Amino acid sequence: MKFILLSIITLLLALGCLFVGSVSLAPSDVFSALLAGDDGSTTAFIVWQHRLPMVITAILAGSALAVSGLLLQTAFRNPLAGPSVLGINSGASLGVAIVMLGLGGSLSVGTLAIGGQGAVIAGAFLGSMLVMGILLLLSAILRNPLMLLICGIMVGYLTSSAITLLNFAADATGSRSYLLWGMSSFSGIPLTSLPLFALLTLLGLGCTVFLVKPLNLLGLGDNYAENLGVSIRRVRLLLLFATGLLTAVATAYCGPVSFIGLSVPHIARIFFPTDNHRILLPATLLAGAAVSLGCCLMCVMGGSQVLPLNAVTPLVGAPVVIYILLKKSA
């Protein structure tokens, strides 16, 4: 029953994002545009080239970040673990900073040159993958998950320092472009780029299915899980790969979205008070989609002025985290 209710809420929020925007459109016109396809009219252009890609992006990115947060919180047994804590977001930010502030907005490898949005996405993805590679290497050396978490935080500090230096040396135009990217948005992906984004996201989500049983066993203790044949190192590697891929893709395409990966798993646990990941995983996936769509709707409800995504996500995520901390300290 709860899954049905959560699915209905997600569907209603998706419809709300299609109907509400910076440009006022009648609901009948939106329905007509969806049924008729992109016929070249202004309404069809807004619906098919802006609102529909935004809705799909919010669902995929929100689900990816929320599931990443759930896996990390379970693996590290830390309610404050999230995609940004391991430094993967910071790696993406460093990649974008190098492209925008150091390379003038273009990325070239040999005879191949990429400019504009493609260069930003490529830089973010390469930066995320670099940090993920470092973490995978460290995971082969460090057996303590807490030590790996601390290393991720230190990597984040190092990348932040490099970004500050690049910002200091950059011109005003580059700094402003980087600032706007850092505010994040679900509306920056055109319809033509959605297939690749969806494929990579679904690949990462597919990997998490294989982690359900090991994570349930890890919740009973590492020694117990090992006695049942679970390879702790193998699970950690697959966990880092899945969360790294999901976070890297979402950050590369949407920017460093804050609080969704940290807060949504707690929202899912409030509605589904269980440690069984067969229930928690789909619940978190749906809750991530719903929260992302809700944040999208809040961004465009101000009329012609669209709010930055990272101005809204803390309004939803921070109270949840404060509530969880107060509940644990009670």
Side-chain angles (χ1 to χ4, degrees):
M1 184 64 185
K2 291 180 180 180
F3 276 110
I4 295 174
L5 178 61
L6 193 55
S7 300
I8 292 173
I9 292 173
T10 304
L11 178 60
L12 291 175
L13 288 170
L15 290 174
C17 290
L18 288 174
F19 293 146
V20 179
S22 56
V23 178
S24 180
L25 297 176
S28 58
D29 293 338
V30 175
F31 272 122
S32 298
L34 287 172
L35 294 175
D38 192 356
D39 57 8
S41 65
T42 303
T43 300
F45 178 82
I46 293 172
V47 172
W48 282 94
Q49 300 300 325
H50 177 70
R51 294 188 184 179
L52 187 60
M54 180 184 70
V55 168
I56 297 173
T57 300
I59 291 172
L60 290 173
S63 300
L65 293 171
V67 167
S68 296
L70 172 68
L71 297 181
L72 292 172
Q73 288 169 13
T74 303
F76 291 111
R77 298 186 183 90
N78 189 330
L80 296 181
S84 59
V85 175
L86 284 177
I88 300 171
N89 276 356
S90 299
S93 299
L94 177 60
V96 173
I98 292 173
V99 170
M100 287 186 174
L101 306 177
L103 301 177
S106 64
L107 186 64
S108 59
V109 180
T111 58
L112 178 64
I114 307 173
Q117 184 70 14
V120 172
I121 293 172
F125 190 77
L126 290 173
S128 299
M129 288 295 104
L130 175 63
V131 172
M132 191 186 79
I134 294 172
L135 292 174
L136 287 172
L137 179 62
L138 290 173
S139 70
I141 302 171
L142 301 171
R143 292 184 175 272
N144 190 330
L146 180 60
M147 294 298 102
L148 184 61
L149 190 66
I150 293 173
C151 284
I153 295 173
M154 294 303 105
V155 170
Y157 279 124
L158 289 172
T159 56
S160 297
S161 177
I163 291 169
T164 301
L165 293 173
L166 286 169
N167 254 317
F168 182 78
D171 57 20
T173 303
S175 295
R176 175 175 171 77
S177 298
Y178 179 76
L179 177 64
L180 292 175
W181 177 83
M183 292 180 180
S184 301
S185 174
F186 290 138
S187 60
I189 304 180
L191 194 61
T192 54
S193 299
L194 272 179
L196 179 59
F197 174 67
L199 177 64
L200 292 172
T201 303
L202 293 175
L203 175 63
L205 290 174
C207 291
T208 63
V209 175
F210 298 100
L211 289 166
V212 170
K213 184 178 178 180
L215 286 174
N216 282 341
L217 294 175
L218 285 177
L220 302 175
D222 290 354
N223 293 332
Y224 185 84
E226 285 183 335
N227 289 335
L228 292 177
V230 176
S231 173
I232 304 297
R233 178 170 294 184
R234 187 180 302 170
V235 170
R236 190 189 298 177
L237 287 173
L238 184 57
L239 173 84
L240 284 175
F241 174 79
T243 55
L245 178 62
L246 290 171
T247 306
V249 172
T251 306
Y253 279 86
C254 307
V257 182
S258 63
F259 275 100
I260 289 181
L262 178 61
S263 64
V264 171
H266 296 299
I267 296 175
R269 285 191 175 97
I270 290 173
F271 286 98
F272 298 87
T274 177
D275 291 327
N276 187 354
H277 284 74
R278 296 183 190 276
I279 297 174
L280 274 179
L281 187 66
T284 303
L285 190 148
L286 272 175
V291 169
S292 298
L293 289 169
C295 290
C296 262
L297 198 55
M298 293 171 65
C299 287
V300 299
M301 287 182 68
S304 58
Q305 295 294 326
V306 180
L307 295 174
L309 184 60
N310 276 346
V312 174
T313 51
L315 299 177
V316 178
V320 173
V321 176
I322 293 172
Y323 167 76
I324 294 299
L325 292 175
L326 290 175
K327 185 178 178 181
K328 285 187 175 294
S329 64

